[in-house]
Amino acid sequence: QVQLVQSGAEVKKPGASVKVSCRASGYSFTSYAFSWVRQAPGQGFEWMGWISGYNGNTKYAQKVQGRVTMTTDTSTNTAYMELRSLRPDDTAVYYCVREEGYYDTSSNLQYYFDYWGQGTLVTVSS
Amino acid sequence: DIQMTQSPSSLSASVGDRVTITCRASQTIRSYLHWYQQKPGKAPKLLIYAASTLQSGVPSRFSGSGSGTDFTLTISSLQPEDFATYFCLQSSTTPFTFGPGTKVDIK
């Protein structure tokens, strides 16, 4: 069965960096893309960006562009999300999510998130 | 960015009730709208994708409808395990954006 297992909780000081891992199993890693999504305490979800499991192409949300780097390691079926220059408002649960594709009625390839990791709490505090 | 709103933000219902949750997009997203359920401390679970397609393994009491800007998630007969928060996701355009959620609790 598909599983996405993320690394454990982190506590960081403002200005530091964090790197969260997401190990995938139960499917062909290079056939799917990942998104990274975060949820601040008591808040809604925020999409951070996307990375192809096939070729490592990325697209980042403007809000975190310049501070985030998403990578994959196909030898270990692991995706990574690094966020730099951390601020207190980066405190959130970070999720990796697998993107499943489907064709719409116009034969356009579209995506949705079908499997989620268990989440990694990142706390940024001095 | 496409803004997603949901209504109501919360509701109280009884087992067996029919529950309807609405999601609205700030511009047309065709049918690129997906619904999720989240329980406290757990990762979200996909219920419906492409506005109306039931994800494999999800009970048939869940259904979705809509296109363009207005979408609906319906639970035909609420079960005890359905008390949770429900939210929508649009994947029409990046940045993908989420509705703020609807909390369904026990009346």
Side-chain angles (χ1 to χ4, degrees):
Chain A
Q1 74 283 18
V2 174
Q3 281 195 302
L4 302 176
V5 179
Q6 297 182 221
S7 49
E10 304 261 14
V11 179
K12 297 291 183 180
K13 294 194 181 303
S17 299
V18 68
K19 190 170 187 177
V20 179
S21 67
C22 170
R23 182 157 188 164
S25 62
Y27 72 96
S28 173
F29 183 83
T30 56
S31 296
Y32 293 82
F34 290 91
S35 272
W36 287 87
V37 169
R38 66 182 179 180
Q39 184 178 33
Q43 303 297 310
F45 290 93
E46 177 185 17
W47 180 79
M48 300 178 68
W50 164 96
I51 183 166
S52 167
Y54 174 67
N55 57 17
N57 286 350
T58 56
K59 184 169 186 176
Y60 302 136
Q62 192 169 11
K63 184 175 180 181
V64 294
Q65 180 90 39
R67 293 200 298 135
V68 70
T69 301
M70 297 177 187
T71 57
T72 59
D73 182 345
T74 57
S75 69
T76 60
N77 291 349
T78 303
Y80 298 91
M81 187 284 300
E82 181 179 33
L83 189 61
R84 301 177 293 278
S85 302
L86 288 167
R87 309 186 290 242
D89 65 356
D90 290 318
T91 294
V93 177
Y94 289 75
Y95 292 95
C96 62
V97 295
R98 192 182 81 162
E99 293 195 13
E100 174 66 277
Y102 68 100
Y103 287 94
D104 67 12
T105 54
S106 302
S107 300
N108 297 311
L109 183 60
Q110 298 295 327
Y111 296 94
Y112 59 92
F113 303 158
D114 62 349
Y115 287 95
W116 296 59
Q118 83 277 17
T120 297
L121 175 62
V122 175
T123 303
V124 183
S125 173
S126 54
Chain B
D1 298 359
I2 296 175
Q3 305 304 315
M4 305 299 296
T5 57
Q6 276 184 245
S7 60
S9 57
S10 66
L11 66 90
S12 296
S14 301
V15 172
D17 283 353
R18 181 181 183 89
V19 169
T20 299
I21 298 168
T22 297
C23 185
R24 177 166 289 172
S26 61
Q27 63 191 72
T28 183
I29 56 172
R30 300 180 68 176
S31 63
Y32 308 140
L33 188 285
H34 322 292
W35 289 99
Y36 297 84
Q37 176 194 69
Q38 187 181 29
K39 296 182 178 179
K42 300 291 188 180
K45 173 187 175 184
L46 175 67
L47 300 175
I48 302 280
Y49 66 92
S52 61
T53 303
L54 193 68
Q55 171 70 349
S56 175
V58 174
S60 59
R61 63 181 179 271
F62 291 94
S63 64
S65 64
S67 67
T69 60
D70 295 306
F71 301 86
T72 299
L73 172 71
T74 300
I75 309 172
S76 61
S77 178
L78 199 66
Q79 297 302 300
E81 60 269 29
D82 299 338
F83 292 96
T85 297
Y86 295 84
F87 63 91
C88 57
L89 160 71
Q90 70 79 18
S91 62
S92 172
T93 308
T94 57
F96 299 150
T97 48
F98 297 82
T102 295
K103 184 176 182 181
V104 177
D105 62 21
I106 302 172
K107 182 184 283 184

